[in-house]
């Protein structure tokens, strides 16, 4: 990958994310039917449709912070359910992380995810092991930070994030829900993968794909 | 006189609660609604920017009390408050009151010119009023 991730590449990442969510709408619905109110797939698909429209708009700012803020507002207005304010907060907070104007380096990308995670925890008041999207995002951010501290390449840092996110998502199968609609099920929620943790995993899967293959784009 | 904002996942529920509360307030209290998603009144969900507009509509320096239905309505309302300028944010309050009872009690007390904290206190007290005679 290039040394710097530009706003253009961030846009490409989120287009890939939107497409991945839309492909997986049925899967997300199925997961949410088992332990929630069956709306996560539909809500996310609607939000991603709005996001695609927004991202295809010409004449947008190339400023990273402004770009992330506009992503946040689109998700707040378009997703619905708990995922709207949660993903909205994630990107709104990510937009306050340090940038180089129209690009970010690997350390700043890691910080961007860290800011988003911190915002998410404040908004949703969820901790690790509550069976939420935190169970995907927290280990992914920690893996990125560790790989960065070990001076790994971008490809290694992003692969570590993806792997940790995947393990975190799968870990939600084994634990009992303590937040959201699934928490009403108590121990019956064990054995089912959390839909929010699943949609959050795709953030890291697509980041690893897009940021390590676009080269000098 | 304070303003009220009804926040619900459903536009119809917000409109219905508004109707009940407005009747108690004799048309004197500004009551805003933020129900459903902004782009489509038929879609269930809550939207921080819609809540923000409702606060703007009923704004008065005496303050605005927000009453929410459940779950992510609270998250969206918290988010809307964070988007407000500082001087407005400190004159807004999220109520822990039950939506229907709270809105009715709040509308009545707001119409009497009571301040924000006092209106919220009576609205929240509606949580412990038993619905059935002899219950509680």
């Amino acid at each position: 990958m290039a040394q710097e991730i530009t706003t253009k590449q961030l846009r490409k990442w989120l287009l890939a994310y939107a497409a991945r969510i839309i492909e997986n709408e049925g899967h997300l619905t199925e997961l949410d039917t088992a332990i929630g109110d069956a709306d996560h797939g539909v809500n996310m698909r609607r939000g991603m449709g709005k996001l695609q429209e927004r991202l295809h708009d010409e004449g947008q700012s190339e400023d990273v912070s402004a770009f992330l803020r506009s992503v946040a507002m689109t998700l707040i207005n378009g997703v619905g359910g708990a995922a709207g304010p949660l993903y909205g907060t994630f990107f709104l907070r990510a937009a306050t992380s340090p940038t180089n104007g129209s690009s970010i380096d690997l350390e700043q990308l890691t910080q961007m995810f860290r800011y988003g995670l911190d915002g998410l925890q404040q908004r949703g008041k969820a901790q690790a092991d509550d069976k939420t999207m935190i169970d995907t995002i927290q280990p992914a951010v920690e893996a990125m930070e560790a790989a960065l501290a070990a001076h790994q390449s971008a490809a290694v840092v992003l692969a570590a994030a993806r792997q940790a996110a995947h393990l975190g998502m799968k870990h939600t199968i084994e634990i009992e829900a303590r937040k959201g609609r699934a928490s009403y099920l108590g121990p019956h929620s064990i054995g089912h993968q959390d839909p929010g943790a699943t949609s959050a995993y795709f953030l890291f899967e697509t980041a690893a794909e897009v940021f390590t293959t676009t080269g000098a784009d | 006189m304070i303003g009220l904002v009804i926040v619900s996942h459903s536009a119809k529920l917000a409109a219905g609660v508004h109707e009940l509360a407005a009747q108690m307030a004799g048309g004197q209290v500004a009551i805003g609604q933020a129900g459903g998603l902004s782009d489509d009144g038929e879609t269930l969900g809550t939207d921080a920017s819609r809540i923000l507009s409702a606060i703007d509509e009923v704004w008065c320096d005496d303050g605005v009390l927000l009453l929410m239905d459940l779950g992510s309505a609270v998250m969206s309302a918290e988010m809307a408050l964070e988007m407000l300028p500082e001087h407005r944010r400190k004159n807004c309050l999220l109520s822990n009151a039950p939506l229907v009872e709270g809105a009715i009690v709040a509308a009545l007390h707001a119409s009497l010119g009571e301040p924000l904290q006092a209106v919220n206190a009576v609205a929240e007290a509606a949580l412990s009023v038993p619905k059935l005679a002899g219950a509680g």
Side-chain angles (χ1 to χ4, degrees), chain A residues 40-95:
Chain A
H40 192 56
V42 174
N43 284 341
M44 288 299 284
R45 195 247 304 126
R46 181 178 49 237
M48 291 305 119
K50 301 269 175 208
L51 186 62
Q52 286 177 325
E53 282 171 34
R54 184 85 192 91
L55 294 174
H56 283 125
D57 260 0
E58 294 300 322
Q60 283 179 67
S61 169
E62 288 302 317
D63 181 74
V64 172
S65 302
F67 170 75
L68 293 172
R69 259 198 312 280
S70 94
V71 168
M73 292 317 295
T74 308
L75 298 178
I76 291 165
N77 297 331
V79 176
L86 289 171
Y87 277 105
T89 298
F90 181 83
F91 283 100
L92 210 53
R93 213 53 76 83

Side-chain angles (χ1 to χ4, degrees), chain A residues 18-34:
Chain A
R20 192 66 43 89
I21 291 289
I22 291 168
E23 283 160 32
N24 282 278
E25 180 192 345
H27 179 47
L28 293 173
T29 299
E30 208 176 289
L31 294 173
D32 201 27
T33 304

Side-chain angles (χ1 to χ4, degrees), chain A residues 43 46 50 73 76-82 85-86 88-89 92-93 122-125 184, chain B residues 9 37-39 43-50 70 72 74-76 78-80 82-83:
Chain A
N43 284 341
R46 181 178 49 237
K50 301 269 175 208
M73 292 317 295
I76 291 165
N77 297 331
V79 176
L86 289 171
T89 298
L92 210 53
R93 213 53 76 83
Q122 282 167 21
R123 174 80 56 223
K125 320 238 168 16
Y184 298 145
Chain B
H9 283 64
L37 286 189
S38 49
D39 57 342
T43 311
L44 298 180
T46 57
D47 171 358
S49 57
R50 198 164 162 82
L70 75 171
S72 56
V74 178
M75 277 195 283
S76 291
E78 286 171 348
M79 205 165 185
E82 284 169 28
M83 293 173 178

Side-chain angles (χ1 to χ4, degrees), chain A residues 167-189:
Chain A
L167 287 171
M169 170 180 82
K170 290 295 177 193
H171 176 62
T172 65
I173 298 174
E174 298 155 21
I175 54 182
E176 183 177 328
R178 292 191 298 223
K179 281 280 168 192
R181 198 72 64 98
S183 64
Y184 298 145
L185 290 169
H188 297 291
S189 63

Side-chain angles (χ1 to χ4, degrees), chain B residues 77-131:
Chain B
E78 286 171 348
M79 205 165 185
L81 255 53
E82 284 169 28
M83 293 173 178
L84 282 172
E86 176 68 30
H87 67 282
R88 284 200 167 188
R89 193 183 315 141
K90 57 177 200 262
N91 282 321
C92 279
L93 201 55
L94 301 182
S95 182
N96 194 40
L99 182 64
V100 179
E101 289 90 337
I104 289 171
V105 171
L108 178 63
H109 285 262
S111 74
L112 301 174
E114 291 178 19
L116 184 61
Q117 297 287 350
V119 172
N120 184 42
V122 286
E124 290 187 347
L127 271 174
S128 52
V129 177
K131 219 164 266 196

Side-chain angles (χ1 to χ4, degrees), chain A residues 8-24 48 51-52 55-56 202-203 205-211 213-214:
Chain A
K8 197 170 164 191
Q9 282 173 293
L10 290 171
R11 183 175 293 132
K12 199 165 173 182
W13 163 48
L14 290 169
L15 279 170
Y17 177 67
R20 192 66 43 89
I21 291 289
I22 291 168
E23 283 160 32
N24 282 278
M48 291 305 119
L51 186 62
Q52 286 177 325
L55 294 174
H56 283 125
F202 294 127
L203 284 173
E205 185 180 79
T206 52
E209 289 166 5
V210 171
F211 297 140
T213 57
T214 49

